[in-house]
Amino acid sequence: KNQIHVKGVNYSIIKVIGKGGSSKVYQVLHEGSKKIFAVKYVDLECADDVIIQSYKNEITVLQRLQNKDPIIKLYDYEISQSHIYLVMECGSIDLASFLRRKRVQKEDILFYWRQMLTAVQCIHDEGIIHRDLKPANFLFVEGSLKLIDFGIANSIQSDRTSVTRESQVGTLNYMSPETIQSSGDSHGGDHTSMKINCKSDVWSLGCILYYITYGKTPFQSITNTMMKLQAICNPDYKIQFSDVHDSNLVDVLKRCLVRDVKERPSIKELLDHPYVSSKT
Ligand SMILES: Cn1cc(Nc2nc(NC3CCCCC3)c3c(C#N)c[nH]c3n2)cn1
């Protein structure tokens, strides 16, 4: 069957964009308007109440953020006992796939950085902290980067047929030291403030900017998971910052990748940083 019905509206499947454990994202055509959409399908058959609630929370937040430009548009959705369908705007490519394909021109780095900061600032303003930001969470829609999820429900990986799937899902390369350490005390120990918790997303954004700038993430070369986690948390493990054309960019990277949360800049401070504010 190559048709999807959501709230009685017919969509013809064009292709599968990505699939995760129990979810798929399709590129579809709305016959009536001849418009292209993305439909995210979640199979709830083997989902427990916690998973179902996490998807409902993600939808609630997505609805609440609809008036913000850097957030993916949700046009319609359907929740039943067995499935969830989300009809959303369709992007051209996610940032992870884009970065795998080509190196970013140095003059474009600032453009992407500003858009990522603005998108994450949107969710922080709504009291949402992602905690698992990576390139696959950002999507190009008509040339601008938008955030497609908020780290509430579990994520999806792109449908890459190649066996060597260096999947972005579950990658630790963008995880902040405090997230790694706090996930230890499972008795919900994040008594720290929202202000402090927002900094975890700043660390992840710094890792994404590092990847865009240098073509690899700060700890990518450490393949052993245990060793990687230790290096992320070990202040004696010095992250390398080779010089690039713009010393302001290196300064931004160094500030985002400070292990001490209190020393790490906020999104607001990063938007005021000379790298962002000194250019047009
Ligand atoms: C070639 N390509 C075209 C797109 N477009 C697109 N991908 C979406 N998710 C992708 C699922 C796999 C991982 C990467 C994101 C969504 C989406 C959600 N969720 C809502 N709209 C979307 N648009 C992506 N790659």
Side-chain angles (χ1 to χ4, degrees), residues 118-186:
T118 316
V120 176
Q121 186 176 47
C122 278
I123 65 170
H124 287 180
D125 290 349
E126 291 291 321
I128 308 287
I129 296 159
H130 195 291
R131 282 201 190 81
D132 188 23
L133 280 173
K134 51 202 168 303
N137 300 120
F138 293 94
L139 186 71
F140 283 101
V141 180
E142 286 152 28
S144 298
L145 279 174
K146 297 197 172 195
L147 206 46
I148 40 178
D149 75 77
F150 313 114
I152 302 170
N154 60 30
S155 54
I156 289 193
Q157 59 211 46
S158 57
D159 179 38
R160 294 176 65 231
T161 42
S162 64
V163 178
T164 59
R165 169 178 309 202
E166 139 260 341
S167 69
Q168 294 254 311
V169 174
T171 175
L172 296 168
N173 284 315
Y174 304 89
M175 191 155 284
S176 67
E178 66 274 9
T179 305
I180 291 168
Q181 281 155 346
S182 76
S183 56
D185 65 347
S186 56

Side-chain angles (χ1 to χ4, degrees), residues 209-222:
L209 184 63
Y210 190 99
Y211 180 52
I212 292 174
T213 307
Y214 297 121
K216 65 181 260 320
T217 51
F219 303 93
Q220 190 169 309
S221 52
I222 307 174

Side-chain angles (χ1 to χ4, degrees), residues 3 9-12 29-37:
Q3 289 257 324
V9 177
N10 276 3
Y11 299 92
S12 305
L29 175 74
H30 175 235
E31 294 297 350
S33 64
K34 292 292 175 222
K35 283 196 172 158
I36 301 275
F37 293 97

Side-chain angles (χ1 to χ4, degrees), residues 15 17-18 25 38 40 72 88-94 136 139 148 156-159:
K15 69 174 181 179
I17 296 176
V25 178
K40 182 170 177 179
I72 196 80
M88 297 179 274
E89 67 183 325
C90 189
S92 53
I93 187 168
D94 67 289
L139 186 71
I148 40 178
I156 289 193
Q157 59 211 46
S158 57
D159 179 38

